[in-house]
């Protein structure tokens, strides 16, 4: 089984493997052993570890082993294991990849488990449907989130410059970030990270202009001119010194830890709302969260609510029943949900949201408030990414870096990305 995941990413960054042996209680005597693979920060790993330990204390006949990787290395690892017939039982899945994996027969259909060992009827139909492919359920929504902009509030106050807010235009965003950089309150410090290689940010830009990444029939919904315009915007920010230079941005491997805001290189990074907990955990200064800049005053941000991630089970799992039971524990058992908190997004279950809300800390409340603020402004969930789309996110980062380093003009970069992105879909 071959998956169209970009293998070059295997060489980028350092994969973090967590041997969570402590999470397995009486492993030697456990009747059932399952493996769990996920991506994310240390904060996520700690919360996941706690949930695993708690579940095993209630189910001593079950042993769970976990591995965690950064975003890019995760998909290489998963593709390699799946292709080699060694897929983990429990798979943290993303909306952009679930269609590819499900249609290749790699994921378990949860439909027979609904209202039995998997009781998610209170998710609401939209949140249930977010894990469906061709009418069958292959992923369980772990939380609702949206794209977001992380802001170092202390750095803006220190510079005496008003930080961007919800509703800031892209033009004002550029000028404001340039002012922050020019304040020179910190050494080698800039207004914002360079988001030109970040697919969710590019998607938001497209949606604000009435376009999208993909059409319903699985083709590109943008062209070379659209991509060139995106690259051109960020090229101007580099010229203005509003965003970090190319050599700094190249260090960002699209993880919380390597982001420019976490590295102390910029006051802003583009991320997802569920990552707010993880960002704050490794940033000593107080962070805030706002929606994407918009093309004009009173325009909508182009964002949508999506499953922050999904839980899937391998179609080849020898312990599928036990794996499904653990998934239900994470999303419908108050103890499991409290262990995870809102780090993976605001729970889809109304019951669980009501359970968590009174005990949320300030970070959790800020995340919930952000989703509530954004909800009236969002558009519909986009069409499912077609086969081959997963590789395009990595390729956008590569081409954006070539433009940033001056190896390609913005027009050349736009043409290169659009051409190869379309080819990836055909090959997928």
């Amino acid at each position: 089984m071959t998956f169209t995941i970009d293998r070059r990413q295997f060489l980028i960054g350092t994969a973090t493997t967590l041997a969570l042996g402590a999470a397995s209680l009486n492993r030697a005597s456990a009747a059932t052993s399952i493996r769990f693979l996920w991506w994310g920060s240390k904060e996520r790993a700690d919360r996941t570890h706690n949930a695993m330990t708690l579940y095993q204390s209630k189910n001593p006949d079950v042993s769970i082993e976990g591995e965690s990787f950064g975003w890019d290395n995760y998909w290489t690892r998963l593709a390699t294991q799946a292709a080699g017939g060694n897929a983990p039982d429990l798979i943290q899945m993303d909306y952009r990849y679930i269609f590819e994996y499900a249609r290749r027969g790699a994921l378990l259909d949860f439909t027979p488990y609904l209202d039995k060992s998997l009781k998610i009827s209170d998710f609401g139909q939209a949140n249930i449907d977010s894990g469906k492919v061709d009418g069958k359920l292959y992923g369980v929504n772990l939380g609702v989130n949206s794209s977001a902009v992380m802001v170092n509030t202390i750095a803006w106050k220190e510079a005496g410059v008003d930080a961007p807010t919800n509703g800031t235009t892209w033009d004002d965003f550029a000028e404001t970030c340039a002012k922050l950089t020019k304040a020179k309150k910190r050494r080698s410090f800039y207004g914002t990270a360079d988001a030109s290689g970040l697919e969710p940010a590019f998607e938001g830009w497209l949606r604000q202009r009435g376009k999208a990444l993909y059409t319903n029939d699985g083709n590109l919904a943008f062209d070379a001119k659209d991509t060139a315009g995106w690259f051109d915007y960020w090229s101007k920010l580099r010229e203005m010194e509003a965003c970090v230079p190319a050599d700094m941005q190249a260090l960002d491997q699209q993880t919380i830890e390597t982001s420019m805001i976490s590295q102390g290189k910029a006051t802003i990074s583009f991320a997802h709302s569920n990552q707010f907990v993880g960002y704050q955990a490794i940033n000593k200064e107080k962070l805030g969260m706002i929606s994407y800049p918009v093309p004009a005053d009173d325009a909508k941000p182009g964002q949508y609510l999506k499953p922050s991630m999904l839980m899937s089970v391998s179609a080849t799992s020898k312990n599928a029943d036990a794996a499904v039971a653990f998934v239900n524990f994470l999303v419908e058992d108050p103890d499991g949900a409290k262990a995870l908190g809102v780090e993976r997004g605001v729970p889809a279950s109304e019951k669980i949201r009501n359970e968590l809300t009174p005990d949320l800390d300030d970070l959790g409340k800020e995340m919930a408030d952000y989703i509530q603020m954004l909800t009236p402004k969002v558009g519909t969930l986009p069409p499912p990414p077609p086969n081959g789309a997963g590789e395009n996110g990595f390729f956008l980062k590569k081409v954006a870096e070539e433009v940033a380093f001056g190896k390609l003009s913005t027009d050349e970069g736009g043409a290169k990305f659009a051409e190869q992105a379309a080819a990836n879909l055909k090959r997928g």
Side-chain angles (χ1 to χ4, degrees), residues 181-230:
T181 305
K182 291 175 182 176
K184 296 187 182 297
K185 292 295 183 178
R186 302 183 185 189
R187 184 178 179 183
S188 298
F189 194 64
Y190 295 80
T192 180
D194 179 348
S196 60
L198 192 63
E199 187 184 66
F202 176 50
E203 181 182 30
W205 169 277
L206 290 172
R207 285 169 61 94
Q208 290 172 359
R209 288 154 179 78
K211 297 202 173 185
L213 284 175
Y214 306 108
T215 63
N216 285 319
D217 57 358
N219 295 311
L220 291 188
F222 64 92
D223 56 28
K225 185 176 180 181
D226 297 316
T227 317
W230 174 245

Side-chain angles (χ1 to χ4, degrees), residues 19 28 50 64 99-100 102 111 125 212 231-232 251 277 281 290 414 427:
N50 291 340
I64 308 175
F99 299 86
E100 183 171 349
T111 306
Q125 198 59 48
F231 288 155
D232 186 61
L251 301 175
V277 173
I290 61 173
R427 191 174 67 244

Side-chain angles (χ1 to χ4, degrees), residues 69-379:
F69 293 86
W71 168 262
D72 49 0
N73 290 322
Y74 174 84
W75 296 105
T76 301
R77 180 77 169 187
L78 177 59
T80 301
Q81 290 188 7
N86 187 37
D89 302 276
L90 292 156
I91 302 169
Q92 186 172 286
M93 181 56 59
D94 187 74
Y95 182 70
R96 83 174 69 188
Y97 288 107
I98 190 170
F99 299 86
E100 183 171 349
Y101 276 82
R103 287 171 177 161
R104 293 181 183 274
L107 304 181
L108 178 76
D109 177 14
F110 285 115
T111 306
Y113 294 90
L114 288 175
D115 299 321
K116 296 175 184 176
S117 57
L118 185 61
K119 300 177 181 179
I120 58 172
S121 59
D122 67 338
F123 272 30
Q125 198 59 48
N127 287 324
I128 294 174
D129 289 348
S130 66
K132 285 186 176 181
V133 178
D134 302 328
K136 296 181 179 181
L137 185 67
Y138 293 101
V140 175
N141 193 322
L142 275 176
V144 178
N145 82 338
S146 187
S147 300
V149 177
M150 303 297 163
V151 182
N152 181 329
T153 61
I154 303 302
W156 285 95
K157 290 179 181 178
E158 179 185 85
V161 179
D162 291 335
T165 60
N166 296 320
T168 294
T169 66
W170 284 104
D171 288 342
D172 288 343
F173 179 81
E175 293 179 5
T176 300
C177 289
K179 288 180 182 177
L180 185 288
T181 305
K182 291 175 182 176
K184 296 187 182 297
K185 292 295 183 178
R186 302 183 185 189
R187 184 178 179 183
S188 298
F189 194 64
Y190 295 80
T192 180
D194 179 348
S196 60
L198 192 63
E199 187 184 66
F202 176 50
E203 181 182 30
W205 169 277
L206 290 172
R207 285 169 61 94
Q208 290 172 359
R209 288 154 179 78
K211 297 202 173 185
L213 284 175
Y214 306 108
T215 63
N216 285 319
D217 57 358
N219 295 311
L220 291 188
F222 64 92
D223 56 28
K225 185 176 180 181
D226 297 316
T227 317
W230 174 245
F231 288 155
D232 186 61
Y233 175 81
W234 289 99
S235 291
K236 290 177 179 176
L237 262 69
R238 283 190 293 274
E239 292 173 4
M240 298 166 62
E241 295 188 341
C243 71
V244 299
D247 57 342
M248 277 190 187
Q249 187 60 44
L251 301 175
D252 186 343
Q253 298 305 314
Q254 299 185 348
T255 66
I256 294 175
E257 292 81 3
T258 61
S259 68
M260 292 297 96
I261 197 170
S262 297
Q263 292 295 318
K265 301 299 183 182
T267 67
I268 282 175
S269 282
F270 287 67
H272 288 91
S273 59
N274 66 287
Q275 294 177 304
F276 187 57
V277 173
Y279 270 91
Q280 189 62 79
I282 61 174
N283 280 268
K284 295 180 180 180
E285 296 180 316
K286 177 69 177 68
L287 303 183
M289 184 165 49
I290 61 173
S291 58
Y292 279 176
V294 292
D297 292 336
D298 300 323
K300 291 188 176 181
Q303 294 167 244
Y304 54 87
L305 300 181
K306 68 181 286 284
S308 56
M309 57 206 70
L310 302 137
M311 278 296 295
S312 295
V313 172
S314 170
T316 60
S317 173
K318 295 180 180 179
N319 294 301
D321 290 351
V324 173
F326 181 63
V327 173
N328 191 76
F329 171 76
L330 295 178
V331 298
E332 285 289 349
D333 187 298
D335 289 337
K338 287 178 181 178
L340 294 186
V342 293
E343 192 274 336
R344 280 181 167 92
V346 178
S349 164
E350 182 179 5
K351 176 188 74 176
I352 294 301
R353 287 199 303 269
N354 292 337
E355 285 273 355
L356 291 185
T357 299
D359 298 324
L360 287 178
D361 58 15
D362 289 342
L363 291 180
K365 290 176 181 177
E366 192 162 348
M367 286 175 58
D369 289 346
Y370 177 77
I371 294 298
Q372 183 176 358
M373 177 279 298
L374 198 62
T375 297
K377 304 177 183 180
V378 298

